[in-house]
Amino acid sequence: MDFDLSEELEALQMSVRRLAQDKVKPLARQIDKEGTYPYAVFEAFRDAGLLGLCLPVEFGGSGAGILGLAIAIEEVAKYSNTAALMLLLTRLPTGPVMIAGTEAQKAKYLPGIAEGTLRAAFGLSEAQAGSDVMGMRTRGVRDGEDWVLNGTKCWMSGVREANWYTVFAKTGDDPASRAHDSITAFIVEREWPGVDVGRTDHKMGVKGVDTGELILTDVRVPAENVIGEVGGFRLAMLGLNAMRPIVAARGIGLAEGALMYATQYVQQRAAFGKTIADFQGIQWEIAKCAVDIEAARLLTYRSAVMADAGKFTKEYVPYLSMAKYHATELAVRASSLAVQLLGAAGYMEDHPTEQWYRDAKQLTIVEGTSQVQLGLIARGVLDRDLWWD
Ligand SMILES: Cc1cc2nc3c(=O)[nH]c(=O)nc-3n(C[C@H](O)[C@H](O)[C@H](O)COP(=O)(O)OP(=O)(O)OC[C@H]3O[C@@H](n4cnc5c(N)ncnc54)[C@H](O)[C@@H]3O)c2cc1C
């Protein structure tokens, strides 16, 4: 067992840390305030080769895997969860293609992501079907060699900027079926007839990358754009399982940024003839949060190593879910602590703490809520996939 990063990953961590300090930190508040897509950050990521971190070398990526991407996201999320989301979106929609796509699909859709000439988004959720994905109503019907898709996906991150989408639709004979083999994944291009972006959401945080609707009206999708098998819904779950460490990294980075900021503040904030940092009550809060961060990092890095080893099937789910659950709940706790440690100043826009507080909350909702993760962890124990004997 070795807890050290490899030399390559340590070098990646250091270079992204510098990039985040130079290119992300100065823009973070502006991105939040203006809520417009931060092209400057995207270009900085592109120029540094970060958009292809988790993509295979043969398709233009750098093959740093999920662990490499998680490490980069952790650094960036210290300042901006919007920037972290931009990196996450290089993996969420491409995951199913990498796991089950054809070589032709990979050759057509992956290199552009790494080069920064294409962007993609992921359409699973619908207004009536979030955690309960089997309740989706988007329908795919076979017509000759093609499929015809109709439906509306919602809350899709990066929907406006994307050039292509990974979209899930019901393809079984019975649209009300809850059988797993009734759902199929497709690659849908933005420019195809019948593909429209609908309303975009007014979010409380992580502004700058839109979330919104993707409306599909009689969209003809060639059979070659089916990802994996028809009825291969398991793919959605495998893709999401492999994403757990990446979402978790957004949480640990945010928590680290918030705790470091608040620590520097309390060390210079005078009260009662001392600094606030001199009070044991404050020190213990800092210590507890530091323990929490390191525990979440260990869970996250371990889960990333597992995912990179292809261990994201059922027996590994509890370990992956634990990382996502613990790190994202930590982000909420740490950002709340940071606001509290700054007092009134932490509540005001003069400090980034109020932004971290708003940004953190989405992490416990996206890609499987905390309750869904707890359900998966409990299932693992009940089924003896997670057992200590
Ligand atoms: C900022 C943001 C970005 C997003 N981006 C994307 C995206 O790119 N692509 C995409 O497809 N989706 C996206 N989503 C949607 C996200 O995946 C869903 O919000 C999430 O799956 C939860 O679904 P829901 O909102 O319908 O909540 P619901 O499923 O209605 O859940 C509501 C509450 O009930 C709880 N609950 C539900 N089921 C259970 C259960 N079985 N046991 C216990 N409690 C339960 C939940 O934990 C939650 O607290 C995004 C959401 C947000 C907020």
Side-chain angles (χ1 to χ4, degrees), residues 85 88-89 92-93 121-133 153-159 166 168 201 203-206 209-212 240 250 359 361-375:
L85 172 60
L88 176 145
L89 285 173
L92 178 61
F122 182 82
L124 185 62
S125 304
E126 297 179 13
Q128 77 297 334
S131 305
D132 181 18
V133 289
K153 295 291 173 183
C154 69
W155 306 313
M156 192 192 279
S157 299
V159 64
T166 292
F168 294 84
D201 303 302
K203 299 187 281 185
M204 77 188 245
V206 194
V209 172
D210 287 320
T211 73
L240 288 173
R250 293 175 70 189
D359 283 356
K361 192 58 206 161
Q362 76 138 303
L363 300 175
T364 65
I365 297 170
V366 295
E367 296 186 42
T369 64
S370 288
Q371 290 73 21
V372 165
Q373 306 305 331
L374 287 173

Side-chain angles (χ1 to χ4, degrees), residues 6-188:
S6 67
E7 264 179 43
E8 290 87 351
L9 287 173
E10 212 168 286
L12 173 72
Q13 185 184 49
M14 288 306 146
S15 74
V16 181
R17 186 169 294 174
R18 277 194 299 277
L19 181 144
Q21 286 165 355
D22 295 346
K23 303 269 167 75
V24 177
K25 184 180 177 187
L27 293 175
R29 292 298 276 166
Q30 188 189 332
I31 296 169
D32 176 61
K33 227 179 190 76
E34 294 176 359
T36 47
Y37 189 82
Y39 287 98
V41 171
F42 183 79
E43 283 158 16
F45 288 161
R46 180 197 61 201
D47 295 347
L50 300 184
L51 299 174
L53 270 181
C54 70
L55 300 180
V57 175
E58 61 268 39
F59 297 107
S62 45
I66 287 171
L67 181 58
L69 183 59
I71 285 167
I73 285 179
E74 180 185 353
E75 293 305 319
V76 167
K78 289 175 184 171
Y79 306 109
S80 166
N81 234 275
T82 302
L85 172 60
M86 290 160 73
L87 287 182
L88 176 145
L89 285 173
T90 63
R91 177 60 174 71
L92 178 61
T94 59
V97 179
M98 285 193 277
I99 294 170
T102 62
E103 292 306 294
Q105 288 170 350
K106 291 176 191 170
K108 183 168 180 191
Y109 293 104
L110 298 184
I113 301 288
E115 289 160 8
T117 52
L118 292 180
R119 269 167 278 190
F122 182 82
L124 185 62
S125 304
E126 297 179 13
Q128 77 297 334
S131 305
D132 181 18
V133 289
M134 297 312 298
M136 74 171 62
R137 293 187 191 140
T138 295
R139 191 93 177 94
V141 177
R142 188 122 211 185
D143 184 26
E145 285 301 295
D146 297 340
W147 288 84
V148 177
L149 299 194
N150 278 287
T152 300
K153 295 291 173 183
C154 69
W155 306 313
M156 192 192 279
S157 299
V159 64
R160 198 169 282 284
E161 295 83 24
N163 306 95
W164 63 268
Y165 306 94
T166 292
V167 170
F168 294 84
K170 283 263 176 85
T171 47
D173 293 337
D174 174 11
S177 168
R178 296 183 63 83
H180 278 188
D181 63 4
S182 66
I183 290 181
T184 302
F186 299 88
I187 300 173
V188 172

